[in-house]
Amino acid sequence: LHRPTNEYRYKVWCYDAYNAFSKESDHYMSLVSQCTGDIIIFLLAYCSANGWDCEEIVNLVWSRVGKRDFVSDPLEGGEER
């Protein structure tokens, strides 16, 4: 008998969170919050394992992203590639 892996169960759980519930329901919000928290924890652990400063990375990226203006430049947001 084949038992599903934790990764498979997690994917199904996140799929259910996104598709099976009304986006206004408390249950949906609980599942989406759990998935979001899991992603953030994974990224923090990944940065830590690689010796990276997560706060520094976020600040560096935000200094660029925060300047984007998709109203006046819908395709590039005013950012040069």
Side-chain angles (χ1 to χ4, degrees), residues 6-26:
N6 284 337
E7 180 182 357
Y8 173 79
R9 275 181 269 192
Y10 181 75
K11 286 179 181 177
V12 169
W13 184 74
C14 288
Y15 178 83
D16 287 345
Y18 185 76
N19 291 301
F21 305 102
S22 162
K23 290 186 174 29
E24 289 81 29
S25 76
D26 290 338

Side-chain angles (χ1 to χ4, degrees), residues 18-68:
Y18 185 76
N19 291 301
F21 305 102
S22 162
K23 290 186 174 29
E24 289 81 29
S25 76
D26 290 338
H27 188 62
Y28 170 83
M29 289 307 299
S30 171
L31 293 174
V32 169
S33 296
Q34 179 67 41
C35 286
T36 303
D38 289 348
I39 291 166
I40 292 169
I41 296 299
F42 173 82
L43 289 173
L44 290 170
Y46 186 79
C47 286
S48 179
N50 287 286
W52 302 337
D53 183 343
C54 192
E55 184 178 3
E56 182 181 329
I57 293 169
V58 170
N59 288 331
L60 178 67
V61 172
W62 179 249
S63 69
R64 220 182 61 243
V65 173
K67 296 175 187 172
R68 293 180 185 165

